[in-house]
Amino acid sequence: MWEKIIACDHKYDGLFFTAVKTTKIYCRPSCRSRKPKKENVEFYFDINEVESAGFRACKRCQPEVEYSPNIQLVRDTITFLVNHYKNHLCLKDIADEVGISPFYLERIFKEETGDTPRIYLEKIRVDKAAYLLRSTSQTNLEICYGVGFQSTSNFYKVFRSWNNCSPSEYRKRNR
């Protein structure tokens, strides 16, 4: 368990809690706060047990909340991406919208979803392009610019990487 808190492994969140005797605070295993001395740490498997022992929840990692405290930030980011996928967006624009630094947004978003905001935006654009290819008679060029890609070469490259075929091949197969 000590190795898991040193590694800030979020896979163990909810399975156990670390309580620091000197500060009387308990945390998730993934908490990014400064690590205490090993001899000052106790481990608990139940939140009620750790609270009844007199420890209070960490304000940084919020172990008393069932889901990660970063989920709302990720939800806000995804909402912004879905609503603005047609626009030219850079990481700074997205970070400004949710109110944090670009570096922190990318790190938190990747931790929670497994993808960067840019990859997630590409997925949204490719999904929308695939839908338009199946259901409309728009040209590939119209679809490319309509879903927010800035160049046709990038559109074709990204589309092929997600669907293992070109947009034209996709249209033929799915009509």
Side-chain angles (χ1 to χ4, degrees):
M1 287 188 283
W2 178 253
E3 290 171 7
K4 300 306 174 196
I5 67 167
I6 295 301
C8 297
D9 195 337
H10 69 277
K11 290 181 237 151
Y12 292 86
D13 287 357
L15 297 178
F16 70 90
F17 301 93
T18 60
V20 183
K21 294 184 264 187
T22 54
T23 61
K24 290 298 205 181
I25 295 173
Y26 72 95
C27 297
R28 299 171 184 265
S30 65
C31 188
R32 295 266 177 203
S33 295
R34 189 171 152 233
K35 300 303 176 212
K37 291 180 179 177
K38 192 173 182 177
E39 62 266 13
N40 293 332
V41 175
E42 292 178 355
F43 297 102
Y44 291 89
F45 296 99
D46 181 49
I47 197 163
N48 296 324
E49 186 182 341
V50 71
E51 287 182 347
S52 65
F55 294 95
R56 69 174 176 79
C58 171
K59 291 181 180 174
R60 185 172 188 180
C61 69
Q62 301 174 8
E64 76 281 12
V65 177
E66 190 170 320
Y67 58 84
S68 166
N70 300 318
I71 290 294
Q72 190 57 48
L73 177 77
V74 170
R75 285 183 183 152
D76 293 344
T77 304
I78 290 171
T79 301
F80 179 74
L81 293 175
V82 167
N83 291 331
H84 296 89
Y85 71 92
K86 293 180 180 182
N87 303 346
H88 175 68
L89 296 173
C90 63
L91 187 60
K92 183 170 178 4
D93 298 331
I94 303 165
D96 288 346
E97 181 63 29
V98 294
I100 59 174
S101 77
F103 173 78
Y104 187 63
L105 171 63
E106 186 155 30
R107 186 170 63 96
I108 294 300
F109 196 88
K110 185 160 177 120
E111 269 179 20
E112 296 294 332
T113 66
D115 290 325
T116 64
R118 169 159 295 305
I119 298 292
Y120 204 89
L121 180 59
E122 281 182 358
K123 283 182 184 177
I124 293 168
R125 288 176 173 165
V126 168
D127 286 346
K128 184 64 175 172
Y131 170 77
L132 292 172
L133 287 165
R134 284 191 313 268
S135 62
T136 70
S137 59
Q138 290 180 333
T139 66
N140 291 353
L141 187 64
E142 290 171 328
I143 291 172
C144 165
Y145 292 118
V147 298
F149 284 97
Q150 302 300 307
S151 74
T152 54
S153 62
N154 189 39
F155 171 60
Y156 283 99
K157 184 181 96 181
V158 170
F159 194 91
R160 184 175 291 279
S161 73
W162 286 105
N163 292 304
N164 297 320
C165 64
S166 71
S168 299
E169 293 167 345
Y170 183 86
R171 180 175 289 195
K172 286 177 192 171
R173 269 196 264 155
N174 293 288
R175 275 261 162 146

